[in-house]
Amino acid sequence: MGNNKLLSELSETQCFQEKRCRDLLTQLKSCDFSDDSASTIDQYDALIEEARKKLGTAATEEKRIAALKTLNYRLANTAQYYEGLMFQHGYSTTNAASEGS
């Protein structure tokens, strides 16, 4: 039963991180940034998609837990990159999703 609780917590974290990334990406799209940044954003997106595919094909509970951990890690890194990119270009991140957690 411990795995069910862990899966639930990891799923909640995934939802939070997905929203955080979406919100930041929406903000980023309104900013003026270089093509190099756009290429890096695409690379981060590809890593997230790869992690989502692994999650979708996870056959066992243990593999699902591992896949969720990987996905959450990549989402958190992506959000951190987005925030850093915005900061680097002088934009502020007004991310309501990060509040209240």
Side-chain angles (χ1 to χ4, degrees):
M1 192 124 128
N3 279 352
N4 286 339
K5 184 175 180 350
L6 180 58
L7 277 169
S8 177
E9 288 174 3
L10 288 169
S11 293
E12 285 179 30
T13 301
Q14 177 196 359
C15 290
F16 169 79
Q17 293 290 12
E18 294 271 3
K19 181 176 180 352
R20 182 176 172 216
C21 282
R22 258 191 326 271
D23 290 349
L24 287 167
L25 187 57
T26 299
Q27 289 179 36
L28 254 179
K29 286 182 179 181
S30 68
C31 301
D32 187 22
F33 56 92
S34 70
D35 289 339
D36 288 344
S37 298
S39 173
T40 304
I41 289 169
D42 290 343
Q43 291 173 1
Y44 274 90
D45 286 344
L47 289 172
I48 290 170
E49 265 316 301
E50 178 185 310
R52 283 187 187 123
K53 285 179 185 174
K54 285 186 180 179
L55 178 59
T57 60
T60 66
E61 199 170 73
E62 288 78 19
K63 287 187 179 190
R64 185 160 171 75
I65 289 169
L68 272 168
K69 285 180 178 180
T70 299
L71 178 56
N72 287 337
Y73 175 79
R74 289 184 178 171
L75 286 165
N77 281 347
T78 299
Q80 186 175 12
Y81 170 73
Y82 290 169
E83 288 171 340
L85 187 60
M86 290 179 70
F87 179 77
Q88 176 185 356
H89 291 289
Y91 297 98
S92 80
T93 58
T94 53
N95 185 10
S98 65
E99 296 173 3
S101 175

